[in-house]
mmCIF file of all heavy atoms in Angstrom:
data_model
loop_
_atom_site.group_PDB
_atom_site.id
_atom_site.type_symbol
_atom_site.label_atom_id
_atom_site.label_comp_id
_atom_site.label_asym_id
_atom_site.label_seq_id
_atom_site.Cartn_x
_atom_site.Cartn_y
_atom_site.Cartn_z
ATOM 1 N N PRO A 118 -47.181 -30.955 27.619
ATOM 2 C CA PRO A 118 -47.822 -32.271 27.525
ATOM 3 C C PRO A 118 -49.325 -32.118 27.388
ATOM 4 O O PRO A 118 -49.944 -31.202 27.930
ATOM 5 C CB PRO A 118 -47.449 -32.945 28.851
ATOM 6 C CG PRO A 118 -46.234 -32.194 29.338
ATOM 7 C CD PRO A 118 -46.377 -30.810 28.842
ATOM 8 N N ALA A 119 -49.943 -33.068 26.662
ATOM 9 C CA ALA A 119 -51.374 -32.992 26.397
ATOM 10 C C ALA A 119 -52.194 -33.127 27.670
ATOM 11 O O ALA A 119 -53.285 -32.564 27.792
ATOM 12 C CB ALA A 119 -51.785 -34.075 25.393
ATOM 13 N N ASP A 120 -51.696 -33.940 28.651
ATOM 14 C CA ASP A 120 -52.489 -34.179 29.846
ATOM 15 C C ASP A 120 -52.163 -33.224 30.975
ATOM 16 O O ASP A 120 -52.629 -33.391 32.089
ATOM 17 C CB ASP A 120 -52.280 -35.621 30.327
ATOM 18 C CG ASP A 120 -50.803 -35.904 30.581
ATOM 19 O OD1 ASP A 120 -49.963 -35.061 30.178
ATOM 20 O OD2 ASP A 120 -50.520 -36.959 31.175
ATOM 21 N N SER A 121 -51.326 -32.265 30.729
ATOM 22 C CA SER A 121 -50.968 -31.322 31.783
ATOM 23 C C SER A 121 -52.032 -30.262 31.904
ATOM 24 O O SER A 121 -52.693 -29.922 30.931
ATOM 25 C CB SER A 121 -49.620 -30.666 31.479
ATOM 26 O OG SER A 121 -49.720 -29.913 30.291
ATOM 27 N N PRO A 122 -52.214 -29.728 33.093
ATOM 28 C CA PRO A 122 -53.229 -28.679 33.261
ATOM 29 C C PRO A 122 -52.812 -27.419 32.530
ATOM 30 O O PRO A 122 -51.656 -27.222 32.215
ATOM 31 C CB PRO A 122 -53.257 -28.464 34.784
ATOM 32 C CG PRO A 122 -51.905 -28.911 35.251
ATOM 33 C CD PRO A 122 -51.537 -30.066 34.347
ATOM 34 N N ASP A 123 -53.819 -26.589 32.240
ATOM 35 C CA ASP A 123 -53.530 -25.336 31.556
ATOM 36 C C ASP A 123 -52.586 -24.496 32.404
ATOM 37 O O ASP A 123 -52.754 -24.396 33.628
ATOM 38 C CB ASP A 123 -54.827 -24.551 31.317
ATOM 39 C CG ASP A 123 -55.716 -25.285 30.327
ATOM 40 O OD1 ASP A 123 -55.177 -26.087 29.547
ATOM 41 O OD2 ASP A 123 -56.947 -25.053 30.370
ATOM 42 N N PRO A 124 -51.573 -23.911 31.784
ATOM 43 C CA PRO A 124 -50.625 -23.089 32.549
ATOM 44 C C PRO A 124 -51.334 -21.862 33.085
ATOM 45 O O PRO A 124 -52.291 -21.359 32.487
ATOM 46 C CB PRO A 124 -49.568 -22.708 31.499
ATOM 47 C CG PRO A 124 -50.266 -22.817 30.186
ATOM 48 C CD PRO A 124 -51.259 -23.922 30.352
ATOM 49 N N PRO A 125 -50.880 -21.363 34.216
ATOM 50 C CA PRO A 125 -51.504 -20.172 34.793
ATOM 51 C C PRO A 125 -51.301 -18.982 33.874
ATOM 52 O O PRO A 125 -50.295 -18.862 33.195
ATOM 53 C CB PRO A 125 -50.771 -19.986 36.136
ATOM 54 C CG PRO A 125 -49.461 -20.689 35.932
ATOM 55 C CD PRO A 125 -49.770 -21.855 35.037
ATOM 56 N N VAL A 126 -52.304 -18.102 33.880
ATOM 57 C CA VAL A 126 -52.229 -16.898 33.059
ATOM 58 C C VAL A 126 -51.270 -15.927 33.736
ATOM 59 O O VAL A 126 -51.421 -15.583 34.900
ATOM 60 C CB VAL A 126 -53.616 -16.258 32.911
ATOM 61 C CG1 VAL A 126 -53.521 -14.981 32.082
ATOM 62 C CG2 VAL A 126 -54.576 -17.248 32.266
ATOM 63 N N ALA A 127 -50.290 -15.480 32.967
ATOM 64 C CA ALA A 127 -49.279 -14.603 33.529
ATOM 65 C C ALA A 127 -49.789 -13.178 33.565
ATOM 66 O O ALA A 127 -50.598 -12.761 32.748
ATOM 67 C CB ALA A 127 -47.995 -14.674 32.704
ATOM 68 N N SER A 128 -49.287 -12.457 34.526
ATOM 69 C CA SER A 128 -49.593 -11.037 34.608
ATOM 70 C C SER A 128 -48.965 -10.314 33.436
ATOM 71 O O SER A 128 -47.940 -10.745 32.904
ATOM 72 C CB SER A 128 -49.031 -10.471 35.923
ATOM 73 O OG SER A 128 -49.040 -9.062 35.894
ATOM 74 N N PRO A 129 -49.560 -9.191 32.980
ATOM 75 C CA PRO A 129 -48.972 -8.440 31.867
ATOM 76 C C PRO A 129 -47.559 -7.985 32.140
ATOM 77 O O PRO A 129 -46.802 -7.726 31.224
ATOM 78 C CB PRO A 129 -49.921 -7.236 31.714
ATOM 79 C CG PRO A 129 -51.222 -7.684 32.319
ATOM 80 C CD PRO A 129 -50.860 -8.620 33.410
ATOM 81 N N LEU A 130 -47.181 -7.880 33.450
ATOM 82 C CA LEU A 130 -45.845 -7.402 33.776
ATOM 83 C C LEU A 130 -44.868 -8.542 33.952
ATOM 84 O O LEU A 130 -43.700 -8.327 34.231
ATOM 85 C CB LEU A 130 -45.890 -6.567 35.064
ATOM 86 C CG LEU A 130 -46.752 -5.296 35.006
ATOM 87 C CD1 LEU A 130 -46.718 -4.573 36.351
ATOM 88 C CD2 LEU A 130 -46.264 -4.376 33.896
ATOM 89 N N THR A 131 -45.343 -9.797 33.812
ATOM 90 C CA THR A 131 -44.472 -10.951 34.006
ATOM 91 C C THR A 131 -43.873 -11.375 32.678
ATOM 92 O O THR A 131 -44.575 -11.487 31.685
ATOM 93 C CB THR A 131 -45.258 -12.129 34.609
ATOM 94 O OG1 THR A 131 -45.862 -11.691 35.820
ATOM 95 C CG2 THR A 131 -44.340 -13.316 34.856
ATOM 96 N N ILE A 132 -42.556 -11.607 32.685
ATOM 97 C CA ILE A 132 -41.858 -12.043 31.474
ATOM 98 C C ILE A 132 -41.217 -13.385 31.741
ATOM 99 O O ILE A 132 -40.446 -13.534 32.692
ATOM 100 C CB ILE A 132 -40.779 -11.026 31.050
ATOM 101 C CG1 ILE A 132 -41.443 -9.688 30.738
ATOM 102 C CG2 ILE A 132 -40.013 -11.522 29.841
ATOM 103 C CD1 ILE A 132 -40.452 -8.609 30.390
ATOM 104 N N ASP A 133 -41.554 -14.372 30.948
ATOM 105 C CA ASP A 133 -40.952 -15.700 31.066
ATOM 106 C C ASP A 133 -39.638 -15.689 30.326
ATOM 107 O O ASP A 133 -39.592 -15.698 29.109
ATOM 108 C CB ASP A 133 -41.885 -16.752 30.486
ATOM 109 C CG ASP A 133 -41.355 -18.162 30.708
ATOM 110 O OD1 ASP A 133 -40.247 -18.274 31.271
ATOM 111 O OD2 ASP A 133 -42.054 -19.109 30.335
ATOM 112 N N SER A 134 -38.520 -15.673 31.064
ATOM 113 C CA SER A 134 -37.211 -15.559 30.421
ATOM 114 C C SER A 134 -36.889 -16.756 29.564
ATOM 115 O O SER A 134 -36.033 -16.697 28.696
ATOM 116 C CB SER A 134 -36.126 -15.384 31.492
ATOM 117 O OG SER A 134 -36.127 -16.502 32.366
#
Side-chain angles (χ1 to χ4, degrees):
D120 57 349
S121 63
D123 293 337
V126 179
S128 167
L130 298 179
T131 304
I132 299 177
D133 185 358
S134 60

